[in-house]
Amino acid sequence: RSSVTIPLKSEEGTIGCLAVLSEHVGDFSPDEIRNLETFAQQCTMALVSARRIEERRAVHLRLSSHIERMPLGYIAHDREFRIVGWNPAAERIFGWSSDEATGKHPFELIVPPEMQAHVSGNWSKLREGDDSSGDSVGAALRKDGTTVNCEWFSTPLRDATGAMTGLITLVHDITEKVRLEKQLLMAQKMESVGTLAGGIAHDFNNSLTGIVGFGELLRMRMAG
């Protein structure tokens, strides 16, 4: 018999409408319509919030999927550099599971004692705003006590005031790369030694040819 339809408007435009029906004619007074308009605004805010939450959840799921599947080790630290994130690649590189690593300080797990002062210095620079000190190359410890060579790419997380709230570190295991580079360097050194030895042998052979020739001439003269 009577109805009120109120559009649900947000900054993005109209996202829906609120329709209220009654069995009676003229059942909605001006005060009731104003109340319904207020309720419609509340419905709009709730819908927009729900939509944003869903969008953020979808982004979080996509990001989590990338982190879980990427080949680089992913380590998330809190303000005190305690580990709060550790992906499967980090497990493969260092041997520690996510449960074992979470809540620990890297100095307890993967940073060798001789590297801790250097790492602390880099972290202090990051905390002070020097983001250029986030990249480095250095050795790390595995759970079994062996050492791996790694490239480290650290990015500080900051709040609206610029204060550091955490740290994200990506780790690339370059142990095999370093081993191959050493083999290549050794091969190049051996090649240089071989080239030098070949040159010496060539020069010696030239000198020896002359000596043999003069010796042969001397023998012939003495025989005559």
Side-chain angles (χ1 to χ4, degrees), residues 15 49 60 95 98 116 174 181 185:
I15 62 173
S49 297
H60 176 73
S98 177
Q116 292 179 6
I174 58 172
E181 287 177 347
L185 181 61

Side-chain angles (χ1 to χ4, degrees), residues 11-80:
E11 296 177 353
E12 302 172 356
T14 301
I15 62 173
C17 66
L18 173 66
V20 183
L21 310 178
S22 174
E23 297 179 348
H24 306 287
V25 176
D27 203 21
F28 299 100
S29 67
D31 287 341
E32 289 175 332
I33 292 175
R34 282 192 293 271
N35 290 335
L36 288 173
E37 288 175 341
T38 300
F39 179 65
Q41 292 175 354
Q42 295 172 343
C43 291
T44 300
M45 289 187 291
L47 287 172
V48 171
S49 297
R51 179 180 295 178
R52 289 175 179 172
I53 290 173
E54 180 60 26
E55 290 174 350
R56 289 173 182 171
R57 189 181 73 86
V59 171
H60 176 73
L61 288 175
R62 288 197 298 270
L63 180 59
S64 297
S65 177
H66 290 320
I67 290 173
E68 290 296 305
R69 300 177 63 181
M70 68 181 181
L72 295 179
Y74 166 88
I75 306 174
H77 310 76
D78 63 13
R79 188 188 304 270
E80 302 302 324

Side-chain angles (χ1 to χ4, degrees), residues 34-35 42 46 62 75 79 83 97 105 111 120 124 156 170 173 175 178 185 202:
R34 282 192 293 271
N35 290 335
Q42 295 172 343
R62 288 197 298 270
I75 306 174
R79 188 188 304 270
I83 296 170
S97 69
H105 194 282
V111 181
S120 292
S124 295
L170 299 181
D173 183 359
T175 304
V178 171
L185 181 61
H202 179 73

Side-chain angles (χ1 to χ4, degrees), residues 122-217:
N122 284 346
W123 284 350
S124 295
K125 292 178 182 178
L126 288 173
R127 194 188 293 277
E128 294 167 0
D130 181 9
D131 293 354
S132 64
S133 60
D135 298 346
S136 61
V137 178
L141 291 175
R142 286 178 47 84
K143 183 179 180 179
D144 60 8
T146 59
T147 302
V148 290
N149 292 296
C150 296
E151 289 179 329
W152 308 82
F153 308 94
S154 296
T155 302
L157 304 176
R158 304 188 186 279
D159 60 19
T161 66
M164 185 172 167
T165 60
L167 185 71
I168 298 295
T169 300
L170 299 181
V171 186
H172 181 205
D173 183 359
I174 58 172
T175 304
E176 183 64 15
K177 175 185 174 183
V178 171
R179 186 184 68 82
L180 293 175
E181 287 177 347
K182 288 182 177 178
Q183 287 184 349
L184 177 60
L185 181 61
M186 181 59 68
Q188 290 174 338
K189 288 182 178 179
M190 294 302 295
E191 181 181 6
S192 299
V193 171
T195 301
L196 177 62
I200 294 174
H202 179 73
D203 292 341
F204 181 74
N205 186 60
N206 290 339
S207 299
L208 187 60
T209 300
I211 293 173
V212 171
F214 282 118
E216 185 64 23
L217 289 175

Side-chain angles (χ1 to χ4, degrees), residues 106-117:
F107 288 3
E108 301 177 63
L109 300 179
I110 60 176
V111 181
E114 64 273 13
M115 293 290 296
Q116 292 179 6

